[in-house]
Amino acid sequence: MRRLAVLYLFLLLMVILTGCWNRTELNEIGLISALGIDRGENGWIVSYQLINPSTISSNAAGGGMSGGAGAPVHVFSSEGPTLREAIDVSYTETPRRLYFPHADVLILGKEAASKGIRDIIDFYWRNPNLRENVNVLVTNGLASEMLKQLIPPERLPGSAIANISRQTAKFNNNYPSIKMFELTRSLVSESHAAGVPQIELVEEFSSNKVESMDQLNKTSTPTKLRITGLAAFQKDRWIGLLTQDESFGISWLTDKVQFSTLSFPCPGENEPGLLSYQTNAANTKVKLMKEGDEYTFKVSVDVKGRVTETSCPTDLSNLSNLHAAEKEIQEVIKQHMLQGWEACKRLHVDLPHFADYIHRKYPEEWSQIKERWETEGIPSTRLVLQVTASISQTGMSQKAFEPDEN
C-alpha cells in the first residue's frame, strides 16, 4: 500500500512540475498584420507585414506617429516552390517566429490571381494558424508593393487596408468585401464565381511612394491606396474587372446594399441640378421563372432612404414631385443592375449566383446544362427588374438653398 502511495505521489509530482516544453516567449514572436502573395519565376513569393512592437509602443507613448520613431512595420518577402516552403525560407532572414492569427488582410498579386488561387485556398484551410475570416483583396501589380505603403493616420497598414475594405462595403456598397471563407464558398458553389475588391496605388501629386515615415509629416501624401474595381473570379482564376457602376449593380443583385448614396438628375423636364438620395434600408429578392428552355429571374428591390442634398428647384413638399423623384431613384437602381448583369455576360461569369437558384429548383435540368452555363446559359438568361423606392425624409428645407438677391 505504501509503495502504491509513493507511486501516486510520484505521478502527481510529474504532472505538477511539468513545464511548457513547447512554449514561445513573447519577445520571440513576430506578429504579422498582413500577407501578400505573388507569383515568381521559381514559384510563390510570400510577403509579410511584420509589426515593429517597439515603434508601436513608442508612438503610443508619444501620442502619434513621428518621422524619427521608425516605421511601425517591416515588410520582407520569401520565395519557394510551395507556399509552405516559401514561409519556411523566411526564417533565413527573420529572428522571430512568425505569428499569423493577427493577419487581417490577404492581398493577391495579379500574376498569382490570374494563374489560379486553388493552392492558396487549400493552404489556408489546412493550416490552423491562418484565419479563414481574413479580408481578401487583389491588386493589379505586386502584392508586396501594397504592403509597403503607409496609410495615415493608422499605425498598422494591414489593419488600415482591411478597414478600408470593410468601410467601403458598409457605407457605399460599391465594392462588396469578401473574406476567405466567403471566397471559398462562392468558388465551390454551382456558379463557381466570386467578386474580390481590387486595391491600387493611386498617384495624387507625384510618383513618390509613401514608404518613409518622413513623408507622413506632410499634410497630404503623394500617393494613396484606393479600391478601384471588382475582380471577377471564375473557378480559381481572375478573368476580368468590373467598374464601380457594374460592381454596384452586383451589390444590388446580391442583396448587399444597406447604406449607400445615389445621385440623379432633378425630376422634371429641363431642370438643372442633381439630387442625392441616401439609402438606409434595402432588400433584394430573387424569383426564378422557367419558360421552355429559357430562365428568367425576377429581381425585386425594396429600398427606403432620405434626401441628403439637392440643387434642384423642385419643391419636394409637392406629392407629385416627390413621386417623380422616387421614380428617378428606381430607374437609377435598375440601370446599375443592368450594367452589372451586362458585365457578367461580357465576362461569362455568374457573380449574382443565379446558377444556385436553378440547381435548387430544377436539379435535373441543371445537371444537363451546367457544363454550358457560362457560355450559353448566362447570355440567354433574362432579368425582370422591379424596384420600389420611397423617400422617408427630405430634410428641413423642401427646396434647394437660394440666397436672397434683394
Side-chain angles (χ1 to χ4, degrees):
M1 186 71 181
R2 184 177 180 181
R3 290 182 178 178
L4 187 61
V6 172
L7 179 61
Y8 282 149
L9 179 61
F10 177 72
L11 294 174
L12 180 62
L13 289 174
M14 286 181 64
V15 173
I16 294 175
L17 298 178
T18 299
C20 299
W21 61 272
N22 64 340
R23 70 182 180 181
T24 303
E25 300 293 341
L26 286 177
N27 60 358
E28 298 175 356
I29 292 178
L31 298 179
I32 302 298
S33 61
L35 275 172
I37 298 180
D38 294 298
R39 275 282 197 176
E41 294 181 359
N42 300 319
W44 297 99
I45 300 175
V46 183
S47 301
Y48 318 85
Q49 200 174 83
L50 182 66
I51 298 175
N52 187 347
S54 59
T55 303
I56 294 295
S57 59
S58 64
N59 283 339
M65 302 175 70
S66 60
V73 295
H74 171 65
V75 178
F76 64 99
S77 303
S78 57
E79 187 173 3
T82 65
L83 291 165
R84 180 69 264 175
E85 188 169 343
I87 292 177
D88 291 345
V89 169
S90 68
Y91 289 104
T92 61
E93 60 176 296
T94 176
R96 298 194 175 195
R97 177 183 176 183
L98 301 182
Y99 188 73
F100 296 98
H102 280 281
D104 205 17
V105 65
L106 169 66
I107 301 179
L108 306 175
K110 184 177 182 180
E111 191 73 14
S114 299
K115 287 186 175 181
I117 60 172
R118 64 177 63 189
D119 291 346
I120 300 174
I121 295 176
D122 182 87
F123 181 70
Y124 254 84
W125 286 101
R126 289 184 187 274
N127 290 273
N129 290 330
L130 298 174
R131 298 170 54 187
E132 69 278 1
N133 63 341
V134 63
N135 291 274
V136 183
L137 297 100
V138 300
T139 182
N140 197 32
L142 294 175
S144 59
E145 289 298 315
M146 296 299 103
L147 297 189
K148 295 176 183 178
Q149 306 308 308
L150 299 174
I151 307 175
E154 303 299 325
R155 292 191 178 96
L156 298 179
S159 299
I161 293 173
N163 285 333
I164 288 174
S165 179
R166 282 191 287 261
Q167 302 297 355
T168 300
K170 181 177 180 180
F171 291 110
N172 63 36
N173 307 118
N174 290 333
Y175 306 107
S177 63
I178 192 166
K179 299 181 182 296
M180 176 56 73
F181 75 90
E182 295 172 322
L183 175 61
T184 306
R185 185 174 58 194
S186 295
L187 295 181
V188 300
S189 68
E190 295 299 327
S191 64
H192 302 298
V196 180
Q198 174 185 263
I199 191 165
E200 283 189 286
L201 191 63
V202 180
E203 297 181 2
E204 294 275 325
F205 312 116
S206 68
S207 60
N208 296 325
K209 298 177 181 179
V210 189
E211 299 177 7
S212 169
M213 293 293 292
D214 294 332
Q215 291 173 299
L216 297 180
N217 292 325
K218 300 177 180 179
T219 58
S220 183
T221 56
T223 56
K224 291 178 173 60
L225 287 180
R226 182 179 301 163
I227 296 179
T228 58
L230 187 72
F233 277 74
Q234 180 65 47
K235 293 182 180 177
D236 71 326
R237 299 175 186 273
W238 180 3
I239 62 169
L241 191 69
L242 276 69
T243 65
Q244 176 177 315
D245 290 339
E246 294 168 344
S247 176
F248 195 26
I250 298 299
S251 295
W252 283 106
L253 290 171
T254 53
D255 195 26
K256 291 185 178 180
V257 175
Q258 187 65 33
F259 301 103
S260 192
T261 299
L262 299 169
S263 298
F264 53 92
C266 300
E269 296 182 1
N270 301 322
E271 288 190 357
L274 293 172
L275 189 148
S276 290
Y277 174 78
Q278 185 180 59
T279 67
N280 52 42
N283 183 33
T284 301
K285 294 182 179 180
V286 179
K287 182 180 179 181
L288 170 61
M289 298 176 291
K290 187 173 183 290
E291 299 176 1
D293 294 332
E294 294 185 353
Y295 296 93
T296 300
F297 288 89
K298 181 180 179 181
V299 183
S300 302
V301 176
D302 185 15
V303 57
K304 297 178 176 61
R306 62 192 183 95
V307 174
T308 56
E309 182 182 353
T310 181
S311 57
C312 304
T314 306
D315 183 2
L316 294 177
S317 64
N318 185 298
L319 209 58
S320 62
N321 292 335
L322 191 67
H323 291 330
E326 290 173 340
K327 288 183 179 179
E328 290 289 339
I329 297 168
Q330 293 167 184
E331 292 303 316
V332 170
I333 295 174
K334 287 181 181 179
Q335 186 62 32
H336 280 302
M337 288 193 287
L338 288 174
Q339 286 179 300
W341 183 236
E342 287 300 319
C344 292
K345 288 183 176 181
R346 182 183 75 245
L347 298 173
H348 298 283
V349 59
D350 184 9
L351 292 178
H353 293 192
F354 288 150
D356 298 333
Y357 291 91
I358 301 175
H359 176 245
R360 286 194 297 266
K361 191 171 183 179
Y362 303 107
E364 294 183 3
E365 288 87 341
W366 174 247
S367 63
Q368 298 174 7
I369 67 169
K370 65 179 181 179
E371 298 298 331
R372 297 175 284 110
W373 175 243
E374 287 85 9
T375 57
E376 299 179 14
I378 293 177
S380 63
T381 297
R382 293 179 58 251
L383 293 188
V384 176
L385 305 178
Q386 180 179 345
V387 181
T388 302
S390 60
I391 298 176
S392 58
Q393 299 177 28
T394 58
M396 298 181 64
S397 177
Q398 303 301 328
K399 294 183 179 180
F401 171 77
E402 291 184 7
D404 189 358
E405 298 180 356
N406 296 327

